[in-house]
Amino acid sequence: MKLTSEPLPQGSRSETVLRTISKIHSVESEALKWVACPESYSHAFLVSRAEELVDKKINAGEPLAYFLKGQLYFEEKKGVEYMKKIISAESPKARHLKFAAAYNLGRAYWEGCGTAILENEAERLWLIAADHGNPKASVKAQSALGMLYSATHPKDLKKAFFWHSEACGNGSLESQGILGLMYLYGHGVRKNLKAALECLNQASDRGNVYAKGHLVEYYYRRKFFTKAAEFAKRVIENDDIEQLAKATDCLPFYIAKGLAMAAFYLARCLHLGLGIKPDEAAAKKYYSKACNLDPAVAADLELTANHGRI
């Protein structure tokens, strides 16, 4: 369970700036008449217009405006200082914004975006954003802490389990799937097959592709080959990682891994005729798909197969 956090927006896209502008206008009742045809404006114009509107709100003393300016600049890769201002703001109205700002700033330190990579600072900020598991705080920060403690050297899997439990209890689909695996393999908690399958099945039903991939693996290893093949087919029907990430709010990194696992085990079933009619051509197609989705997962599973462990 290596922590690979959701990447910050790459490049400058007008749609992210327009979202910020829309949020600004949602605070008031003005209509977005001047962006009726957004493609007719340059990106630089949209950024300039967004800054103008945000500054107007800042001058009016609205805490939300500081966050929106930080978010706008985060999209433009220069929001570290604004996020710091939000975190240090004294207005009680800005409390919920502090959690989001601390989470985003933690991501910046973890990924080295606009600042040096400082893992300890990322941890400190995520702990602020997580606010002792407060359900009104940043649930993403709670989940990120679970991943962080799974990735540190040495790992602290008990802390990882604690934070994934908090995040899951507060609705995190990502953490629910990871909790299932922690119960399944006894990472940070005693093995508990019943709890593992409960978490994995619930996460799968909610759309967690990483959980789906591990369920395919579970069915295969238990020799439920027909169930493994049928489920893997359904999982791999939609391999649009970006769309799945938007729909589930899960990390593309883990979605790709889940899809690769499903594709590989489907290929294995087709190759050996396990629970499904053998089809060499289809098997090659799904082996290739697994490699394209996540080469590391495919290589690891191929090595495991070559050693006769699956």
Side-chain angles (χ1 to χ4, degrees):
M1 284 172 281
K2 178 182 176 183
L3 171 59
T4 298
S5 54
E6 185 179 9
L8 296 171
Q10 298 296 313
S12 296
R13 300 185 299 168
S14 295
E15 63 182 73
T16 55
V17 179
L18 284 171
R19 277 201 295 270
T20 301
I21 295 170
S22 297
K23 288 177 184 177
I24 298 164
H25 276 277
S26 69
V27 176
E28 52 192 23
S29 59
E30 297 177 34
L32 292 173
K33 296 177 182 177
W34 62 275
V35 288
C37 187
E39 60 272 15
S40 65
Y41 296 98
S42 70
H43 181 80
F45 171 81
L46 290 170
V47 172
S48 175
R49 180 62 170 147
E51 287 181 303
E52 178 186 330
L53 291 167
V54 173
D55 286 339
K56 179 181 174 183
K57 291 297 178 185
I58 287 174
N59 292 334
E62 295 187 15
L64 176 61
Y66 286 97
F67 178 75
L68 290 174
K69 188 158 189 176
Q71 191 66 43
L72 171 64
Y73 278 7
F74 225 62
E75 292 164 1
E76 299 300 307
K77 305 290 183 69
K78 52 183 178 180
V80 170
E81 291 307 314
Y82 271 89
M83 290 298 171
K84 286 180 179 178
K85 287 182 180 179
I86 296 163
I87 294 168
S88 61
E90 296 181 358
S91 172
K93 294 181 180 178
R95 179 171 170 77
H96 66 291
L97 301 178
K98 288 184 181 182
F99 297 141
Y103 167 68
N104 281 334
L105 189 54
R107 283 172 58 195
Y109 280 115
W110 182 265
E111 297 170 359
C113 182
T115 183
I117 293 177
L118 297 172
E119 294 182 9
N120 288 342
E121 189 64 6
E123 179 187 8
R124 183 186 73 83
L125 286 160
W126 283 339
L127 284 169
I128 291 171
D131 195 34
H132 305 291
N134 177 358
K136 294 183 180 179
S138 173
V139 178
K140 285 189 175 182
Q142 294 163 9
S143 187
L145 283 167
M147 296 178 193
L148 182 149
Y149 291 124
S150 295
T152 52
H153 300 286
K155 296 179 180 181
D156 192 334
L157 294 179
K158 287 187 177 180
K159 280 187 179 180
F161 178 80
F162 170 81
W163 282 111
H164 279 308
S165 296
E166 293 296 303
C168 178
N170 292 329
S172 171
L173 176 56
E174 194 95 71
S175 283
Q176 187 174 38
I178 294 175
L179 269 184
L181 296 177
M182 297 187 86
Y183 277 120
L184 186 63
Y185 297 111
H187 292 168
V189 66
R190 291 183 65 178
K191 285 186 180 181
N192 186 328
L193 182 58
K194 181 180 179 182
L197 293 177
E198 184 176 325
C199 284
L200 288 172
N201 279 306
Q202 287 180 4
S204 172
D205 290 344
R206 293 173 63 199
N208 186 318
V209 179
Y210 191 54
K212 291 175 190 283
H214 278 279
L215 280 172
V216 170
E217 181 174 65
Y218 173 78
Y219 297 145
Y220 184 95
R221 287 179 177 270
R222 291 294 298 269
K223 302 187 186 302
F224 302 150
F225 298 123
T226 300
K227 191 170 185 177
E230 290 176 353
F231 189 50
K233 265 188 177 181
R234 295 200 300 273
V235 173
I236 206 66
E237 280 177 358
N238 181 5
D239 61 359
D240 186 335
I241 294 174
E242 184 177 352
Q243 184 271 326
L244 287 166
K246 287 181 179 178
T248 63
D249 201 25
C250 289
L251 301 178
F253 174 82
Y254 286 111
I255 292 171
K257 285 187 176 298
L259 289 170
M261 290 177 72
F264 187 92
Y265 281 107
L266 177 56
R268 187 81 175 154
C269 288
L270 288 163
H271 183 191
L272 301 176
L274 299 173
I276 194 171
K277 184 178 179 181
D279 187 330
E280 192 67 28
K284 288 181 179 179
K285 169 188 167 184
Y286 286 110
Y287 278 134
S288 295
K289 183 180 280 289
C291 288
N292 290 332
L293 286 162
D294 193 309
V297 165
D300 184 59
L301 289 175
E302 183 178 10
L303 184 63
T304 303
N306 289 340
H307 285 151
R309 294 198 294 270
I310 59 172

